[in-house]
Amino acid sequence: MNVAFLLKQYFHGAEDVSIDVFDAHTLNDVYQQVLKTLTAHFEIEVSVLQAMSYCFYEILDNVHIHSGKPLGTAITHFDAEKERLRILVADDGMGVRDSLAENEKYHDIKEEDALKMCLEDSVTDGKGMGFGLYATSRLMKDIGINFIVHSGNHKLIFKDGNTEIIENGFWQGTIVYMEITTSREIDPNEVVDHRTNADEQYNESFVETDDLESLWTGKGTTEFKFSSLGTDFGTRDMGAKIREQIRPLIEKGECVALDFTGVNVVSNSFADECIAKLLLDHTLQSLKQHITFKGLNEMANRSILVALQRRYKMMS
C-alpha cells in the first residue's frame, strides 16, 4: 500500500501522525490504542469520542469483512490548536463496487452509484449489516469538515453540506477519510440512530473506573450556588473562571456543597474544566472530603461523573 501517497494527499504538513497496520487479529488492539491516545486529549469533547469510536471501529471492521485482503492501514492526527481530528482507513482490496456486486441485488451497479449507496442504511454485500458507513455519514452531517470515500476511479466528497462524486485517479481498494471538529458537543446515540448505546460502549472501555462509580452527596459547611451565575454552563472559559472561585474555598479546608439546583445544562467540557481539573491539585480522596454535590439533574450528573472518570483514569 502506498502510505506515502496517503500522507501527502490527506496529512500534508502534519506532525505526530499515527500510522497503524492491522489485520483481523490486531484490529481490536489498534482500535484500543488509537482511542486511548485520543481520550487523553481533553480538548476533544467526550460526546465526539463516543460517536466517533463507534464509527471508527465499524470502518476498521469493514476492511476485515469486505475488502478481501488481510491488511488495512489506519492513520490518525489530532490538531488541538485547530480543534480538528483526521482519521483515514485504507485497504488495497476489491473496492466498494465489487464488494457490493457480490450481493445479487447490486450485481450490475456502477462504481459511482456504489459510492452513493454505500452510505445508505442497510446497503451491504450480504456479509454485514450495512450500518457502519451510514452511521459515519450521520456523524459527518453533525460535525464533519471533510469526508471522502475513494474507491477505484471515483471519489465521493462531502464538504460544506454538499456531496459530489468525481473521477479522480485510481485507488485499488477503498479509502475512507474523515475530518471532524472536536469542540462541539453532539448526541452520540442520535448518530447511531438510537440502535445502540454508543456513549455507554465508549465509557465502559475508556472512561469508567471502580473508584468513581457515582458522585458523592452530603452537607457542606459552605454552599456554592451555580444558579447565581446562570442556568446553562457550556464553555471551558466559564469553567476555568468558576474553578478559580471554588479552589480557595477548598484550600481553606472547607467542605463545599456545589449546588446545581435550577441549573439546566452542564456540558462535558465545562464539567472537565470546572470540576475534573481539581484532580490536578487534589487526590480523589481529598476531593471527596472537600466537595459534595446537590441539585443535579440527570444529564448534569452524568456530565460531571464522566468528566471526573475520564480525567482520573488518564491520570492513574
Side-chain angles (χ1 to χ4, degrees):
M1 186 179 299
N2 191 346
V3 175
F5 166 80
L6 296 175
L7 291 172
K8 182 178 179 180
Q9 186 77 10
Y10 296 97
F11 299 87
H12 183 69
E15 298 180 357
D16 300 321
V17 175
S18 174
I19 304 171
D20 296 282
V21 177
F22 62 93
D23 59 17
H25 301 291
T26 60
L27 185 155
N28 191 62
D29 291 339
V30 168
Y31 167 75
Q32 292 281 333
Q33 184 55 50
V34 169
L35 263 295
K36 285 178 182 176
T37 300
L38 294 177
T39 297
H41 290 286
F42 294 100
E43 304 93 337
I44 305 178
E45 289 293 340
V46 69
S47 60
V48 171
L49 289 169
Q50 289 165 341
M52 182 280 296
S53 64
Y54 179 90
C55 297
F56 180 51
Y57 185 88
E58 290 295 311
I59 295 170
L60 293 174
D61 203 38
N62 280 349
V63 174
H64 165 56
I65 295 175
H66 304 293
S67 74
K69 287 292 186 74
L71 297 178
T73 299
I75 307 176
T76 56
H77 176 257
F78 173 58
D79 188 325
E81 184 176 344
K82 294 183 178 179
E83 300 177 335
R84 293 185 179 187
L85 172 63
R86 287 183 279 178
I87 297 175
L88 181 146
V89 178
D91 65 72
D92 57 357
M94 68 177 69
V96 173
R97 189 270 161 205
D98 288 350
S99 175
L100 275 184
E102 292 188 343
N103 184 334
E104 183 61 32
K105 184 177 179 180
Y106 309 115
H107 181 68
D108 295 320
I109 195 169
K110 295 180 180 179
E111 188 172 75
E112 55 266 44
D113 293 332
L115 287 180
K116 291 179 184 177
M117 294 191 68
C118 74
L119 302 185
E120 296 178 7
D121 189 11
S122 302
V123 174
T124 175
D125 58 8
K127 299 173 187 174
M129 297 177 62
F131 186 65
L133 283 177
Y134 170 65
T136 303
S137 70
R138 291 171 65 90
L139 173 67
M140 298 308 295
K141 288 176 182 177
D142 267 356
I143 54 173
I145 299 170
N146 196 7
F147 180 45
I148 294 172
V149 181
H150 187 180
S151 185
N153 290 301
H154 290 84
K155 180 184 288 187
L156 179 148
I157 302 172
F158 174 82
K159 191 171 184 178
D160 299 326
N162 300 310
T163 301
E164 65 173 337
I165 294 179
I166 62 174
E167 287 193 57
N168 186 251
F170 178 77
W171 180 266
Q172 177 62 53
T174 304
I175 299 169
V176 178
Y177 170 79
M178 55 179 165
E179 183 178 0
I180 59 178
T181 184
T182 57
S183 59
R184 274 183 45 205
E185 290 210 46
I186 58 174
D187 182 347
N189 293 328
E190 177 65 27
V191 169
V192 298
D193 206 16
H194 296 280
R195 300 187 199 180
T196 187
N197 292 322
D199 54 350
E200 291 183 7
Q201 290 178 15
Y202 168 82
N203 291 348
E204 287 175 4
S205 296
F206 305 105
V207 174
E208 292 178 356
T209 70
D210 293 337
D211 299 281
L212 265 167
E213 295 178 352
S214 62
L215 296 178
W216 47 97
T217 59
K219 292 183 179 180
T221 56
T222 301
E223 281 198 350
F224 189 94
K225 291 185 176 293
F226 280 79
S227 61
S228 66
L229 301 170
T231 58
D232 299 307
F233 297 90
T235 68
R236 286 192 174 273
D237 285 346
M238 184 181 292
K241 290 175 182 176
I242 296 177
R243 186 179 75 251
E244 291 309 309
Q245 296 179 47
I246 296 171
R247 191 201 304 272
L249 301 177
I250 295 174
E251 290 174 352
K252 288 179 182 178
E254 299 179 17
C255 181
V256 184
L258 302 180
D259 187 357
F260 286 85
T261 303
V263 171
N264 298 320
V265 175
V266 176
S267 73
N268 282 122
S269 54
F270 174 85
D272 178 63
E273 196 71 37
C274 180
I275 297 170
K277 271 194 173 181
L278 292 170
L279 288 169
L280 299 176
D281 301 314
H282 301 271
T283 65
L284 178 61
Q285 191 58 38
S286 172
L287 212 57
K288 287 182 176 181
Q289 292 173 354
H290 288 96
I291 65 172
T292 63
F293 297 91
K294 62 182 294 187
L296 287 164
N297 63 34
E298 184 177 351
M299 290 184 65
N301 183 88
R302 189 60 178 157
S303 291
I304 294 172
L305 180 59
V306 169
L308 282 165
Q309 287 174 328
R310 182 184 178 192
R311 192 164 284 275
Y312 178 76
K313 191 165 188 175
M314 290 302 104
M315 293 173 61
S316 299

